[in-house]
Structure formats: C-alpha cells, structure tokens
C-alpha cells in the first residue's frame, strides 16, 4: 500500500525563483529605426519562464538624464501595451522579469532599479541573489546611505553610486566601480547596468547565473552565419539565448564568469575579468541544465536539450530497469526520457497530456479539487500504457508531489508496474544563490529514506542519477576553449562555491 499524500494542501512543485534580464542596443546611426521597446518586450516574453511575478523596462535615447520607465505586476504581455511602446521609444534599454528572492513581490521591488548618481542616472537589472547581502546592507547603512527596499538588487545599485577606493580623477569610472562592487559581492549575479548610451553586461566571478550576447540581424537574412558584420542592426544581451530567436537575433557569445562587457552603438568590448578568490573553479548553476532553462537555449557552447539527452543516457547506464516502455513527466524531462529509452532499447511512449494552463491561481478552490493534487495538471493517455510496465523519467524530484500523484494516476488507470528514474540526484540542501528551494523538511530526499521512497511514491522502484554522472553528462558536451569549467552542485552535494560565514 502506498502512503497517503502528506502534502495535499501544498500543491507547489519544482524549484522556483529565478529571474530573466534582457537588454538591447541599436547600432549607429541614432535615432534608430529599430523598435527597441518591442525588441525588449519580446525578449522578456522569451524569458517569461524565468519569472512571472512582475516585469519592468527602462529605455533611453542615450542622452544624459533621459530614462523612461514602465513597470508592473504580472506577465510581460499584461504589463506592456501599445501606448507604452510609444512612450518607451529609445536607442537602447534593459528589462527584467522577476521571481522575488529578497524583498517581497511588490511594486517597489520591481526591476530595473533606477537611481541618480553624481554623474547621472543608472538602471540596473539583476538575476541572482547576493549571498552576503546582510553584511553589505549593514555596511552601506552604516556609511550613511539610505535604502528604500529590502531588495539585494537595490543594494548592488547603491554600491555602484560610490566612487571606487582608488578614486576617480577623470570623472566617473564605471568599470572600476563595477569591479569594486564585484570584489565585495562575489555571488551571485548576471547584471545589466545602463548608463547614458551604454549597457554593461556583468557576470559574477563564479559565473553562477547565465548571460549571453547576440546580434540583431536584418529580417531578410537566409542563413545566420552568412550575415556580414556591416548588416548587423544591433546587439542584445539576455539570460538565455532562447530569447534571441523570437526577435531574429543570433547568438554571439557568453559573457564569461567575472567578465564586464560594454555594449554600445559601436560594438561589443570586453572590459576585463574579475578573478575568483583563490583561483577556484567557476560555479555555473547545474540546475539551469537540469530544469530551469528552456531546452532550446545554449550555454557554454552546448544546447540545453542535448545536455538533458546526455543525462538520460547516463541515467540509463547507471539505473536500467526491466520494463515494456519508457516515458516522461512532461515537459522538461522529455529529452532525458527519449535518450534513456534509446540507450536501454525500449520504446519511448507518451503517457500524459499536460495542461499548461492550470496555474496556481486555479488551485485550491475546494477540498475535493485540492485532493486531486498535482494530478489535475495531467491527463493519462490510457491506451498507451494499460497493462504495461513503465519506466517513468522526471528531471528532478523536489517535494515529490508530482511523482506521487502521477504514479498513483498511472496505477489507477491500469499500469502494471511503474519504475521511477530521476535524471538528477536527490536535492538535499538549500540554495543561497537565487533559487528558492523548499525548506529541508519539505524536500522529499530529507524526509523519506531512499529505501522507503518506492512505497511512499507508490512505485515499484526509484533510482536517481549520481552527482558524478550528472556533472559528467553536462561537462562532456562543453568544447575545450581554454576556459576553466566548473558547476555549482551545492543543493545536491552541500558543497557551496563560497564558505557560508555570513
Ligand atoms: O517534486 P515536486 O516538488 O513535485 O517537483 C518536481 C517537478 O517540478 C518540475 O516540473 P514543473 O511542473 O515545474 O514543469 P515542467 O513542465 O518544466 O517539467 C520538475 O520538472 C518536476 O517534474
Ligand atoms: N530570482 C532572482 O534572480 C531575483 C533577483 C533579486 N534577488 C530579486 O529578488 O529581485
Ligand atoms: S545550489 Fe543548486 S540551484 Fe542553487 S545555484 Fe547551486 S546548483 Fe543551482
Ligand atoms: Mg516537470
């Protein structure tokens, strides 16, 4: 007998809370004919999966002091209307779509943050979480700077208004200001900083959060790689390259860990790299590959879809199962499931139809509906699995709500056996770098011993990918270009990129 749902009241699933940043700059001549506000809006729509609480856009013509801002709660499409597109007209701009990690989900914390400095306005968009924010906040307040929110992103913004300790004999030196900020805050951020006519794109020295640059091409181009440089219409920079497709931009390169890149109407210029303390390895969030990112995004020269396929292959090698079919928990587990099936030589068969429109808003109206739990997001394709032994692949198990509900559903509708295989290791530790992982007690890996998990999930067996297997599967596809490679696995291993002494 499998156990009753322990978390029937809590229908949340998965890991939550990461943000998307997106910026665009038109190349000369200015005023541009490019529709910068629409490009940024579409870019943010492409990043909507990274944050759905609120969004904001700040644009400028590039003249001193002229920043135009529009912010709102909700989805990108609900916030930015036609009339905003007219108001936001400009030559460059940055945008943000938010899941809050520090500072509540309310109007005052919506990004980009805009502040006046002694040299004019800056606008800042941030994905990540400043791990030593409490200490930095204390330092800043003690120095007499007032803060109007609890947001760590406002904190960074205020740090940038300070001249660096080496002084500024020739006026504001933004590169030195950014470097000074990076030295006191080493984790975690992908940042876009807009000042006058440039955008600085910055990744923390560990490269924990992703950030890539693309080129805007003429709509008539036939093959991306054949567009000559002189035909490029502008540049974009964003959290994921999937946001480039929507606007006809081509991926150019990643911002490197610790790098500051200046993007202006005349091109892209690297302004240096802030090194990691003690020569440590980078710590790019491995969960971007496992679950967060869209499958069509490219990180570290490889497509997320392909990395997920390799996780599926590795899982098949580590944890094969005796069964009739292999299937997926849609949607992010699908590449792993397809490859698992291929590797073990079993047919890949779809067994669920997922209703993407059941969001949190519709959840919990009555006890009866609540008891249906996560399962009401999925419809069983019964003809495909009746009487069969199924290997069911998911990319991750967090609270176990999804898996328990789905295995029960499959058994109810005639599955003979269900063998659960997970294409990432058990999640056991909190994340301090911008991902809201449930409390230790909520994580199923801390609540139920592995040997009791099949019974708890109603399954016939349960196996996870190993940490070594995941790291191998992800790193195998990264081309050697002389750059150091390293990934954060802290929520799986407890091994944090920086010592937790704050
Ligand atoms: O153990 P739980 O807490 O239930 O969470 C785990 C599930 O949550 C995520 O899926 P999600 O439904 O968020 O979306 P997806 O379509 O991207 O897979 C993840 O892919 C797992 O399926
Ligand atoms: N998820 C994120 O990256 C959030 C960024 C920032 N910490 C905020 O709460 O606004
Ligand atoms: S702890 Fe986990 S979720 Fe957080 S950055 Fe590291 S790998 Fe990503
Ligand atoms: Mg899922």
């Amino acid at each position: 007998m499998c156990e009753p749902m322990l978390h029937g009241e809590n229908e949340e699933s998965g890991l939550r809370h990461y943000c998307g940043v997106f910026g665009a700059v038109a190349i000369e001549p200015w005023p541009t004919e490019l529709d910068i506000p629409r490009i940024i809006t579409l870019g943010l729509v492409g990043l909507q999966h990274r944050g759905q609480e609120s969004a904001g856009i700040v644009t400028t013509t590039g003249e001193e002091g002229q920043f135009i801002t529009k912010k709102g709660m909700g989805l990108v499409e609900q916030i930015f209307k036609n009339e905003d597109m007219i108001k936001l007209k400009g030559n460059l701009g940055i945008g943000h779509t938010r899941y809050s990690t520090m500072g509540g989900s309310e109007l005052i914390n919506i990004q980009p943050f805009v502040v006046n400095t002694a040299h004019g306005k800056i606008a800042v968009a941030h994905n990540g979480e400043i791990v030593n924010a409490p200490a930095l906040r204390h330092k800043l307040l003690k120095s007499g700077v007032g803060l109007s929110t609890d947001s760590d992103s406002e904190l960074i913004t205020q740090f940038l208004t300070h001249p660096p300790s080496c002084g500024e004999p020739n006026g504001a030196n933004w590169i030195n200001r950014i470097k000074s900020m990076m030295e006191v805050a080493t984790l975690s951020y992908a940042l876009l900083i807009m000042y006058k006519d440039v955008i600085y794109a910055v990744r923390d020295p560990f490269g924990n959060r992703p950030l890539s640059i693309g080129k805007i091409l003429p709509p008539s181009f036939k093959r991306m790689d054949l567009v000559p440089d002189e035909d490029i219409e502008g540049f974009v920079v964003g959290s994921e390259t999937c946001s480039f497709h929507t606007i006809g931009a081509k991926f150019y390169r990643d911002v490197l860990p610790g790098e500051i890149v200046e993007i202006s109407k005349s091109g892209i210029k690297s302004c240096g790299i802030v090194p990691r303390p003690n020569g440590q390895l980078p710590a790019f969030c491995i969960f971007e590959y496992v679950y967060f990112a869209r499958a069509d995004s490219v990180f570290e020269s490889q497509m997320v879809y392909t990395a997920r396929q390799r996780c599926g292959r590795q899982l098949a090698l580590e944890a094969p199962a005796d069964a009739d079919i292999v299937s997926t928990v849609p949607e992010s587990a699908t590449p792993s499931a397809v490859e698992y099936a291929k590797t073990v030589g079993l047919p890949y068969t779809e067994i669920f139809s997922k209703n993407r429109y059941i969001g949190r808003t519709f959840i919990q109206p009555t006890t009866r509906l609540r008891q249906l739990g996560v399962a009401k997001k999925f419809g069983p394709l019964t003809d495909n699995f009746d009487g069969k032994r199924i290997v069911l692949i998911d990319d991750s198990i967090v609270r176990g709500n999804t898996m328990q509900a789905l295995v029960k559903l499959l058994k109810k509708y005639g599955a003979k056996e269900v063998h659960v295989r997970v294409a990432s290791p058990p999640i056991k530790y909190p994340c301090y770098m911008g991902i809201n992982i449930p409390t230790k007690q909520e994580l199923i890996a801390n609540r139920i011993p592995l040997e009791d998990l099949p019974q708890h999930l109603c399954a016939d067996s349960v196996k996870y990918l190993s940490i070594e297997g995941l790291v191998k599967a992800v790193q195998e596809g990264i081309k050697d270009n002389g750059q150091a490679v390293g990934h954060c696995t802290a929520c799986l291993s407890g091994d944090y990129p920086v010592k937790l002494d704050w």
Side-chain angles (χ1 to χ4, degrees), residues 330 332 394-395:
S332 35
D394 206 349
D395 54 85

Side-chain angles (χ1 to χ4, degrees), residues 17-19 98-102 111 126-128 152-153 434:
H17 297 244
Y18 41 120
C19 293
R98 181 170 192 243
Y99 258 129
S100 47
T101 61
M102 223 180 256
Q111 300 193 38
H126 169 217
N127 164 218
D152 54 343
S153 314

Side-chain angles (χ1 to χ4, degrees), residues 13 35 42 81 116 157 180 184 188 200 221 241 311 343 366 370 485 497 500:
S13 61
D35 193 343
L42 278 173
K81 306 282 181 229
N116 280 304
T157 312
S180 297
V184 292
S188 83
Y200 297 104
F221 72 86
T241 61
C311 291
T343 312
T366 64
R370 198 159 49 222
V485 172
L500 300 174

